[in-house]
Amino acid sequence: MSDKDLGLDDLVQLVAEVIGGASVTADDNFFDLGGDSLHAAQLALLLDERWDQSVDVMVIITADTLRDMYTEIVEGRADNFTPALT
C-alpha cells in the first residue's frame, strides 16, 4: 500500500468536507447526511484527484453507508459498477 491509498477514515473525512458535516461516521448514509447528486459528483472528483480512485457516481449514490461505499471502492468494483435495471 502506498501513501495515496484510501482508508475508511479518509473517506469519512472527505465526505464531511464535501457535505460540511462535523459528525460523520462510517455507518452514516450519504444522503441522510445532506448529500445530493452534486455532492456525489464532487466526492467522485475529489476521490480521483486525491487518491487516484476513479469512482462511478452511482457507487456513491447507491451505497447504504459510507462503509459500504468504501468497500465498493477498494474492492475495485467502483470502476465496473452497473446498476440493476428493473
Side-chain angles (χ1 to χ4, degrees):
M1 295 184 103
S2 72
D3 290 342
K4 287 193 74 159
D5 286 340
L6 177 69
L8 180 57
D9 289 340
D10 297 320
L11 178 62
V12 169
Q13 289 177 333
L14 191 58
V15 169
E17 178 183 326
V18 168
I19 294 176
S23 61
V24 176
T25 71
D27 295 314
D28 287 329
N29 177 277
F30 182 76
F31 290 101
D32 290 345
L33 291 168
D36 57 27
S37 59
L38 293 176
H39 287 120
Q42 182 181 10
L43 179 60
L45 179 65
L46 289 174
L47 284 165
D48 188 37
E49 288 177 355
R50 294 186 188 177
W51 282 281
D52 197 25
Q53 294 285 329
S54 179
V55 178
D56 188 313
V57 173
M58 289 304 295
V59 170
I60 297 167
I61 291 172
T62 60
D64 289 331
T65 66
L66 301 184
R67 186 180 310 277
D68 294 338
M69 183 189 307
Y70 176 77
T71 300
E72 290 291 323
I73 293 168
V74 298
E75 287 184 359
R77 296 190 305 237
D79 293 335
N80 302 318
F81 183 81
T82 305
L85 300 175
T86 55

